[in-house]
Amino acid sequence: MRFKKKKQESEDNPYNKLMEYALKLLSKRRLTSHALEMRLRKKNIGGEEDIVQVLKRLEEYGYLDDLMYAKDFITDRLNFRPRGTMALKNELYQKGLNKEDIDTVLGGMEINEEKIAKDLIERKRQSIKRYSLAKQKQKMVLYLKSK
């Protein structure tokens, strides 16, 4: 004979369900406050107050830190897929960070866009060798604009 565990009252609480779901999401990958909020809203558990409470508690515990997320994101991006300042700003803005946080983080970091551009040009040069010089310049300009 199997015994079913009785659900505790605390498990039925929307706040606890949201907190459990948020911790599950954050255990898999880092998220911005905005991204986590959107995921919690999609879950349709509890109300606005519960979501705000969960986000506030996670920030208190240090699980949600948009400034640290932005710093880590920029560092990773510069190491693995270099971008210029404008592209980084756009990517962070799309992830839901506010303009002030983005400016704060970018202002505190040294980004050598000239070096990034030179490295990108060297990488791209090999793949466009076969084109005429004018076509190479055109492709290079379009490539750098996208970065």
Side-chain angles (χ1 to χ4, degrees), residues 7 21-22 27 71 79 107 122 125 131 136:
K7 283 190 174 183
Y21 181 65
S27 70
K71 286 178 187 174
N79 288 331
E122 283 303 313
R125 185 173 284 157
Y131 297 106
Q136 283 181 15

Side-chain angles (χ1 to χ4, degrees), residues 114-129:
E114 188 175 325
K115 182 185 180 307
I116 292 171
K118 285 180 181 178
D119 291 344
L120 290 171
I121 287 171
E122 283 303 313
R123 273 195 245 159
K124 185 70 173 173
R125 185 173 284 157
Q126 297 302 318
S127 67
I128 61 172
K129 249 187 204 177

Side-chain angles (χ1 to χ4, degrees), residues 6 11 18 30-32 42 46 79 83 105 119 127 141:
K6 290 184 179 180
E11 289 178 1
L18 285 171
R30 286 181 81 177
L31 296 170
T32 63
K42 280 185 183 178
N79 288 331
R83 298 280 189 260
V105 172
D119 291 344
S127 67
V141 167

Side-chain angles (χ1 to χ4, degrees), residues 15-29 31 36 40 54 57-59 61-64:
Y15 169 81
N16 289 336
K17 286 183 178 181
L18 285 171
M19 181 62 85
E20 186 178 319
Y21 181 65
L23 290 171
K24 180 181 171 186
L25 292 173
L26 290 171
S27 70
K28 293 178 183 177
R29 72 179 347 200
L31 296 170
L36 182 59
L40 293 176
V54 167
R57 182 59 53 114
L58 290 170
E59 285 175 11
Y61 289 152
Y63 292 126
L64 275 182

Side-chain angles (χ1 to χ4, degrees), residues 46-61:
E48 179 72 23
E49 295 170 8
D50 294 321
I51 292 172
V52 170
Q53 246 184 332
V54 167
L55 293 173
K56 194 177 285 190
R57 182 59 53 114
L58 290 170
E59 285 175 11
E60 288 173 8
Y61 289 152

